[in-house]
């Protein structure tokens, strides 16, 4: 069965510092991995995805994520955090021939000025 | 929120009443989805549709119904059989039902049932 874990409910970082939001997954076959961001009372916005190829994926707003097959991880990163990055971040996975996307429980990122 | 609209943004209903949530997309996407979001639980799939006039149950379909009569529209009805309907409901679409396609989300409808 497919599953996604986001081990941190909240991540706190100072503006200008690098940030990492963690995600690990379990799926049979090739994983297709996604990151989405949600601002308060809004829908989710797509940030980036890993399908195949280069393990480092670059996305919107300066975010990037690194796919690590041996550790079954897909952590979201940004070199320098902004206060406006404060939001709820979801990791998601598809794979194993399944149609459904499985979402993690979300990690709230708080960037302090 | 791309080309997906959901209405209304807030909805209040009394227990025992059915209510229909609207979802429209102008992205020409084939696949559409309904999710329910509760605090701390991520998104749970209610129903999805890969093509007009066809849809499948997701993980928590009990107490919900959908229709897909037009490519651009995928309304969700929350029936009185749904035990705990108060939640934030999100509609999404994707270009195809394939595994590699990201989803585009509407702004959501917050339903409160008292």
């Amino acid at each position: 069965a497919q599953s996604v874990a986001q081990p941190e409910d909240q991540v706190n970082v100072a503006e200008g510092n690098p940030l990492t939001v963690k995600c690990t997954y379990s799926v049979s076959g090739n994983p297709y991995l996604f990151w989405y961001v949600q601002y308060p009372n809004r829908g989710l916005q797509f940030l980036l995805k890993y399908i195949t190829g280069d393990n480092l994926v670059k996305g919107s707003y300066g975010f990037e994520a690194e796919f690590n097959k041996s550790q079954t991880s897909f952590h979201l990163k940004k070199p320098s955090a902004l206060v406006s990055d404060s939001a709820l971040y979801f990791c998601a996975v598809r794979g194993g021939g399944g149609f459904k996307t499985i979402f993690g429980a979300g990690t709230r990122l708080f960037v302090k000025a | 929120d791309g080309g997906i609209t959901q209405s209304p943004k807030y909805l209040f209903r009394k227990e025992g009443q059915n209510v229909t949530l609207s979802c429209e997309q102008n992205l020409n996407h084939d696949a559409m989805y309904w999710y329910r979001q509760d605090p701390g639980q991520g998104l749970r799939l209610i129903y999805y549709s890969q093509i007009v006039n066809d849809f499948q149950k997701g993980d928590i379909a009990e107490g919900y119904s959908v229709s897909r009569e037009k490519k651009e529209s995928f309304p969700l009805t929350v029936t009185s059989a749904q035990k705990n309907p108060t939640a934030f409901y999100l509609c999404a679409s994707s270009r195809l039902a394939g595994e590699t396609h990201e989803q585009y989300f509407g702004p959501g409808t917050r339903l409160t049932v008292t």
Side-chain angles (χ1 to χ4, degrees):
Chain A
Q2 300 171 187
S3 66
V4 175
Q6 293 182 243
E8 301 154 317
D9 291 335
Q10 182 166 315
V11 171
N12 299 307
V13 64
E15 188 174 33
N17 283 1
L19 70 88
T20 298
V21 182
K22 295 179 181 177
C23 172
T24 59
Y25 67 90
S26 174
V27 66
S28 58
N30 292 324
Y32 303 106
L33 296 152
F34 305 82
W35 275 102
Y36 293 85
V37 61
Q38 185 180 32
Y39 297 97
N41 294 312
R42 302 287 298 277
L44 277 67
Q45 296 177 33
F46 168 73
L47 280 178
L48 50 79
K49 66 182 177 182
Y50 172 82
I51 303 301
T52 188
D54 195 347
N55 289 343
L56 186 62
V57 178
K58 294 188 183 297
S60 306
Y61 313 119
F63 284 94
E64 57 190 27
E66 186 167 11
F67 171 64
N68 187 317
K69 188 173 183 178
S70 62
Q71 297 185 7
T72 62
S73 66
F74 189 55
H75 301 333
L76 181 70
K77 300 181 180 184
K78 188 174 182 182
S80 178
L82 300 172
V83 172
S84 58
D85 292 331
S86 298
L88 187 57
Y89 290 81
F90 289 96
C91 181
V93 66
R94 270 180 167 172
F99 174 74
K100 291 189 302 184
T101 299
I102 304 301
F103 288 83
T107 297
R108 190 165 299 280
L109 174 66
F110 181 69
V111 181
K112 185 177 180 181
Chain B
D1 298 323
I4 300 181
T5 58
Q6 290 185 244
S7 61
K9 189 173 178 64
Y10 298 97
L11 191 54
F12 298 88
R13 281 294 182 268
K14 296 287 189 184
E15 263 188 38
Q17 293 179 335
N18 292 353
V19 61
T20 297
L21 282 59
S22 169
C23 177
E24 304 277 333
Q25 54 100 357
N26 63 2
L27 301 169
N28 199 32
H29 285 171
D30 287 306
M32 297 188 74
Y33 317 76
W34 273 105
Y35 293 92
R36 171 181 171 137
Q37 184 178 17
D38 296 284
Q41 292 194 46
L43 276 66
R44 292 183 290 168
L45 183 65
I46 304 173
Y47 269 98
Y48 63 96
S49 168
Q50 300 179 63
I51 195 170
V52 173
N53 292 322
D54 186 53
F55 48 83
Q56 288 80 42
K57 293 181 179 180
D59 298 318
I60 56 165
E62 185 175 351
Y64 300 98
S65 65
V66 293
S67 62
R68 186 89 186 275
E69 297 176 1
K70 298 186 296 183
K71 186 175 184 178
E72 57 271 21
S73 179
F74 191 41
L76 173 75
T77 297
V78 185
T79 75
S80 56
Q82 167 51 233
K83 300 297 182 192
N84 185 19
T86 294
F88 190 50
Y89 290 89
L90 288 162
C91 179
S93 69
S94 65
R95 196 161 67 87
L96 292 171
E99 295 172 329
T100 65
H101 296 286
E102 65 272 20
Q103 295 177 33
Y104 293 80
F105 285 81
T109 292
R110 189 167 297 281
L111 173 64
T112 302
V113 177
T114 57

